[in-house]
Amino acid sequence: MNPNQALWEKGDFTRIAASMRESGEALVRALGITSGLKVLDLGCGDGTTALPAARLGADVLGVDIASNLVEAGNNRARAEGLANCRFQQGDATNLSELPDGAFDLVISIFGAMFAPRPFDVAKEMVRVTRPGGRIVMGNWIPNDPTLVAQILKISAAYSPPPPDGFISPMTWGVESNVIERFTGAGVPKDQISFARHSYTFDFPAAPSALVAEFRRYYGPTMNAFEAAEKNGRAAELEKELDALFERQNQSTRKDQTSIPATYLRITLTV
Ligand SMILES: C[S@@+](CC[C@H](N)C(=O)[O-])C[C@H]1O[C@@H](n2cnc3c(N)ncnc32)[C@H](O)[C@@H]1O
């Protein structure tokens, strides 16, 4: 099986996505979505941004490599009666099942950044966007002091080194890399803009319980714990993550966690 697919099917990202719904809705509200707009949500998970876009009247296709998340997305859309929102399996590095110029707006929020071969990903995103259409990407930023970059940094210290030639997903959070990838796909540099925004993880229990969710359900953290267990370092990893989540938590209630994380939002016109 494609290792990327195996990583995301290993856990159950719906459990983490449940803490990200409000920020997903806020982001989508800021995109000026109008009725009938054709939207592709790439690396859509179970629809944190796809469903809000469909609620605003867009005609939404969610594409994700993980079959469990595609099924979860379709179930959520069905439960809400959103006939204008469907999900299918696909790989951001090769969207050959989708025609050129099919979408007015392509969004990928912490999605396509996790695919390998970033130049292929940029090319495919541009290819399926109609001329004059938009691409909006949200990417975590390497070495950023906020939550997700720190989780990935801590986890990496407990994991075996990646295979030769591996390109870190976090390189999508560096403006020069993004420019190189999208200009390589034919988009002029002056049509690419950057802004920093915040996404908040809201969880109805203490920060250590959110760490436990990541340990049980988030593929990259599951892998870090598996590697740490082999070296007898799982308790150390847990302690580091507990301290991180505790430090970043902004909720004043003991039974509530609220952690904002900074990301790079990229907007480009094709
Ligand atoms: C961190 S989750 C984000 C999901 C969703 N965008 C959200 O905001 O909740 C990353 C998603 O990217 C998907 N993904 C990873 N590699 C992919 C690829 N090559 N093609 C399509 N989706 C991919 C994963 O399956 C997962 O659903």
Side-chain angles (χ1 to χ4, degrees):
M1 190 200 273
N2 177 323
N4 199 222
Q5 181 181 351
L7 172 69
W8 291 97
E9 287 185 354
K10 180 174 183 145
D12 179 1
F13 186 73
T14 66
R15 301 290 297 237
I16 308 299
S19 69
M20 302 165 77
R21 304 290 190 219
E22 251 179 58
S23 288
E25 283 167 19
L27 188 161
V28 169
R29 274 197 301 273
L31 297 180
I33 287 177
T34 47
S35 183
L37 198 79
K38 288 196 178 336
V39 174
L40 170 67
D41 189 337
L42 191 55
C44 56
D46 67 349
T48 291
T49 44
L51 264 70
R55 283 180 209 128
L56 292 173
D59 182 7
V60 183
L61 175 66
V63 168
D64 199 283
I65 202 159
S67 57
N68 55 333
L69 298 176
V70 167
E71 190 187 343
N74 277 323
N75 288 341
R76 291 184 70 221
R78 207 172 302 120
E80 272 198 42
L82 287 168
N84 54 332
C85 187
R86 63 192 182 84
F87 294 78
Q88 69 186 41
Q89 210 172 354
D91 186 337
T93 63
N94 179 356
L95 297 169
S96 55
E97 68 280 16
L98 303 179
D100 295 359
F103 298 94
D104 300 303
L105 172 65
V106 173
I107 57 180
S108 188
I109 307 303
F110 324 126
M113 67 173 286
F114 288 102
R117 300 193 296 286
F119 282 91
D120 290 355
V121 171
K123 231 177 253 160
E124 284 297 78
M125 291 178 84
V126 170
R127 183 185 65 75
V128 300
T129 308
R130 71 160 170 81
R134 265 182 306 157
I135 296 176
V136 176
M137 247 187 135
N139 298 334
W140 301 118
I141 303 166
N143 300 317
D144 185 81
T146 60
L147 188 75
V148 182
Q150 291 302 313
I151 295 175
L152 296 174
K153 189 173 171 190
I154 291 169
S155 299
Y158 289 83
S159 308
D164 280 351
F166 175 79
I167 300 171
S168 166
M170 302 301 279
T171 57
W172 272 110
V174 177
E175 294 183 16
S176 56
N177 289 328
V178 174
I179 289 169
E180 192 187 9
R181 292 165 189 176
F182 280 117
T183 54
V187 179
K189 186 180 168 188
D190 62 2
Q191 287 176 205
I192 308 172
S193 65
F194 299 95
R196 281 171 193 242
H197 291 272
S198 185
Y199 227 78
T200 300
F201 291 79
D202 289 310
F203 189 68
S208 59
L210 183 54
V211 172
E213 290 283 289
F214 272 80
R215 180 176 185 166
R216 236 174 276 143
Y217 300 113
Y218 182 65
T221 312
M222 293 165 78
N223 280 350
F225 270 102
E226 271 173 26
E229 267 153 24
K230 283 190 192 128
N231 301 324
R233 296 178 69 205
E236 202 185 320
L237 172 56
E238 185 180 29
K239 201 169 153 204
E240 265 204 74
L241 290 176
D242 277 348
L244 170 72
F245 280 56
E246 192 65 55
R247 237 183 2 255
Q248 304 251 342
N249 181 23
Q250 293 193 351
S251 173
T252 50
R253 288 178 48 173
K254 275 207 166 115
D255 57 352
Q256 203 74 36
T257 300
S258 176
I259 304 182
T262 306
Y263 71 96
L264 183 66
R265 192 188 294 176
I266 300 140
T267 306
L268 51 112
T269 311
V270 168

